[in-house]
Amino acid sequence: VAGVDETLRVYDPVDCKLLQTNAGHTDSIRCVLHIPERNQYVSASWDKTIRIWNSYVKRNSSNTS
């Protein structure tokens, strides 16, 4: 989710739990692109920068007993 602040927040779509917070822009984020094949987000800001972020990857817990 892009907002009027400089932080990109990623939420779980099922339970709306915050999964990831990415800070680094110095002005509002104006657009976000998710690239699932690379597990990345690309964000563009009014600060005239583009940032590439590694996305949260949910790991399945395996029970090895």
Side-chain angles (χ1 to χ4, degrees):
V1 174
V4 293
D5 61 4
E6 301 86 29
T7 307
L8 174 70
R9 292 178 180 86
V10 180
Y11 292 88
D12 184 306
V14 176
D15 61 10
C16 298
K17 182 179 176 182
L18 180 64
L19 299 175
Q20 179 177 354
T21 302
N22 297 315
H25 286 295
T26 59
D27 203 347
S28 299
I29 296 172
R30 56 187 295 197
C31 62
V32 176
L33 172 67
H34 181 224
I35 307 169
E37 298 83 11
R38 296 183 55 96
N39 293 320
Q40 292 178 325
Y41 293 96
V42 178
S43 58
S45 169
W46 287 110
D47 65 9
K48 300 178 183 173
T49 63
I50 295 173
R51 295 193 177 258
I52 299 171
W53 313 92
N54 290 327
S55 64
Y56 171 83
V57 178
K58 188 173 185 177
R59 306 269 188 232
N60 290 332
S61 59
S62 58
N63 199 355
T64 57
S65 37

